Amino acid sequence: MKIAILGYGKMGKMVESVIARDGIHEVCMKTNSSIRNDFQTSLKNADAAIDFTSPAIVMHHLTACLQAGIPLIIGTTGWHDELEKIKLLCKEKNGAVIYASNFSIGVNIFFGVNHKLAQMMKYRKEYEPRITEIHHVQKKDAPSGTAITLANDILKYSAAKTQLVNKESGRSDELIVLSRREGTVTGLHEVEFTSAIDRITITHEAFSREGFARGAILAAEWIQNKKGFFEFNEIFTDILASSEAD
C-alpha cells in the first residue's frame, strides 16, 4: 500500500519510520509547510493518506483527499467543532475517513475501561470525577483530544455532570479536566473518581509516539475498499481482528 503522509513533523516522521522498519508499505509522498510538492498530483498515487498536521488545514486536506478518492486517516486534534461538517462532506463525496482523538492501541483499550467505569459510576454521586492530562510543551490544544473523549463518556453517563471545564471549578455540574504542559512528555492521562472514603484511578502513559503511528497505519489498512466516516474507537475491535487475521 502506498501511503501519503500529510504533516511531516514528529508524528509524520514516526509514521515514516514505522513504515520503513516494517517494510510492508511505502511512503509515496510527504508534505508540510516546507515541503511544497505538487500536492494534488502526488496524492493521486496514494492508496491512503495519514494526517498529523494542525486544525487549520485539516479541512483543506480532507477536501483534497475526497476529490482524489483517497481514504484519509485523521490524527490531528483540536478541530472537533468541525466534526459534523466533515461527516456531511464525507457523505456527499462518498468518501472514506477515519478519525481518532488517539490512535494508540493502549489508549483505545483505556477508552473501553473508562467507558465501563463511567457506566458503573452513573448514580454514585458520592464520587467526584476528574481528569488530568499532561503533554509536552509544544502541544497546542488543551484539553487534549484524548481527554475530551474520556470526558464525553463520563458526561454521557453522569447523573450530575453536564459539561467539562479546563480549569478548577466549584460548580457541581462541571467535570474538571486539567491540562499541564511539561517538557517532552509524550502523553499521560489519568481519570479519578474520589469520595470521602476512597479513590479509584485509571491511568494511561505513552512512552513514545510509535503506538500512535502503528494505530494510524492499521486504520489505513482497514479502510481500503470501504466508504463512510468512522471513528477509530467505534471500529477498534474490528481493526484489531483484521490485523490479527493478516
Side-chain angles (χ1 to χ4, degrees):
M1 180 170 63
K2 294 181 179 179
I3 296 177
I5 297 176
L6 310 182
Y8 196 57
K10 291 178 180 178
M11 272 309 308
K13 290 173 182 175
M14 178 58 74
V15 172
E16 181 183 45
S17 175
V18 170
I19 290 172
R21 273 184 281 146
D22 289 352
I24 300 172
H25 308 302
E26 66 175 286
V27 176
C28 65
M29 71 168 285
K30 49 194 176 186
T31 183
N32 64 14
S33 58
S34 62
I35 303 174
R36 298 187 179 280
N37 47 18
D38 188 340
F39 183 80
Q40 205 69 40
T41 300
S42 300
L43 196 59
K44 292 179 180 179
N45 297 320
D47 297 305
I50 296 176
D51 184 297
F52 283 105
T53 55
S54 66
I57 56 176
V58 165
M59 188 60 75
H60 167 69
H61 287 164
L62 173 72
T63 302
C65 287
L66 291 176
Q67 288 177 345
I70 305 300
L72 177 62
I73 313 304
I74 305 176
T76 304
T77 59
W79 54 269
H80 205 262
D81 55 344
E82 299 281 350
L83 184 59
E84 294 307 315
K85 183 178 179 180
I86 284 179
K87 286 181 179 180
L88 181 60
L89 187 59
C90 180
K91 184 177 181 180
E92 287 178 350
K93 299 294 184 180
N94 194 31
V97 176
I98 297 180
Y99 162 69
S101 59
N102 195 311
F103 277 104
S104 162
I105 302 301
V107 164
N108 280 273
I109 293 172
F110 186 58
F111 285 155
V113 174
N114 178 68
H115 185 272
K116 182 62 177 178
L117 181 57
Q119 285 180 309
M120 296 175 71
M121 286 293 185
K122 183 174 183 178
Y123 298 111
R124 304 259 44 105
K125 293 183 179 180
E126 71 270 30
Y127 284 92
E128 180 68 20
R130 174 185 289 243
I131 297 172
T132 302
E133 58 99 352
I134 308 173
H135 283 86
H136 53 86
V137 295
Q138 293 176 319
K139 185 169 179 60
K140 297 177 181 179
D141 56 316
S144 68
T146 301
I148 291 173
T149 299
L150 293 166
N152 284 340
D153 266 349
I154 294 173
L155 292 172
K156 178 180 178 180
Y157 293 105
S158 176
K161 304 298 181 183
T162 61
Q163 60 184 326
L164 70 88
V165 290
N166 194 218
K167 62 181 180 179
E168 292 286 0
S169 170
R171 288 181 51 173
S172 61
D173 66 329
E174 292 182 334
L175 171 61
I176 297 172
V177 182
L178 296 182
S179 301
R180 289 159 49 190
R181 299 292 172 257
E182 301 176 359
T184 59
V185 177
T186 301
L188 187 149
H189 293 84
E190 180 179 85
V191 178
E192 59 181 281
F193 285 83
T194 305
S195 74
I197 59 174
D198 61 5
R199 179 174 62 184
I200 301 167
T201 304
I202 57 173
T203 304
H204 178 275
E205 181 176 5
F207 301 136
S208 80
R209 293 179 173 85
E210 184 171 339
F212 312 142
R214 289 197 175 278
I217 294 167
L218 278 177
E221 292 170 343
W222 182 88
I223 204 171
Q224 296 299 304
N225 302 313
K226 294 181 177 68
K227 298 294 183 183
F229 182 95
F230 308 92
E231 293 199 37
F232 190 69
N233 61 333
E234 296 173 338
I235 57 176
F236 175 63
T237 301
D238 190 36
I239 285 177
L240 277 189
S242 298
S243 66
E244 290 169 0
D246 293 339

